[in-house]
Amino acid sequence: MPRRLLAWRDGPRRLWRAGDAYRLERFTDCKAAFLAAHFLTDTDRYVLWGYGPTGRSLRRALLGHGKRPSHVVEVHPGRLGNTIHGAPVISVEELRAHPRRPLVAAVAGARPRQEIRDTLTAIGLHETRDFVCAA
């Protein structure tokens, strides 16, 4: 190219790197506000799939909107049968036996989210109507 068409400066003081408004918690707060106002608007209870760092953070943010998980779906065998903040931890297989509530999948990683989508679709749930992936 005879001349530079674009110059990109990305330093450590750039707002998205240093500003409080761009912290991960703020994005989680935005997701929670949107979910509470739209997907979870008709209920204060939902099923949370995943209780790793992403799920814990989203549960806390949704709590600020009066939304609490009725159950937590986990694949981690050490968590099954426990309760997390009053919500029983159930396996994927147990999910079928519980009343249908909106389900929020909060699992990081594209492949695990696709596996969740495939599993939920196989049991007759529809994305955006019955469940959303919010990680």
Side-chain angles (χ1 to χ4, degrees):
M1 300 301 295
R3 64 186 173 94
R4 179 182 292 174
L5 299 176
L6 174 68
W8 189 280
R9 293 182 299 181
D10 187 16
R13 295 185 334 199
R14 189 171 175 174
L15 186 58
W16 75 269
R17 290 186 187 271
D20 284 341
Y22 291 88
R23 290 189 359 238
L24 181 58
E25 295 84 18
R26 299 290 72 85
F27 285 101
T28 302
D29 291 343
C30 287
K31 288 178 193 180
F34 183 83
L35 289 169
H38 298 283
F39 184 67
L40 300 174
T41 192
D42 294 330
T43 184
D44 62 343
R45 305 290 281 187
Y46 65 98
V47 176
L48 176 63
W49 185 317
Y51 202 69
T54 304
R56 284 193 296 274
S57 178
L58 188 57
R59 184 204 65 83
R60 278 192 303 272
L62 283 167
L63 189 59
H65 297 276
K67 311 296 181 179
R68 298 176 184 278
S70 63
H71 297 84
V72 175
V73 178
E74 259 293 344
V75 295
H76 189 286
R79 291 189 178 135
L80 296 176
N82 294 327
T83 58
I84 296 175
H85 298 283
V89 180
I90 61 174
S91 69
V92 176
E93 294 76 27
E94 292 174 289
L95 179 61
R96 297 174 196 242
H98 290 281
R100 294 257 170 120
R101 287 201 162 99
L103 187 143
V104 176
V107 176
R111 190 171 64 193
R113 281 194 303 274
Q114 188 58 53
E115 291 171 5
I116 291 169
R117 284 182 171 104
D118 294 344
T119 298
L120 295 174
T121 300
I123 63 173
L125 300 180
H126 299 276
E127 191 166 6
T128 70
R129 185 189 73 198
D130 303 316
F131 73 93
V132 294
C133 292

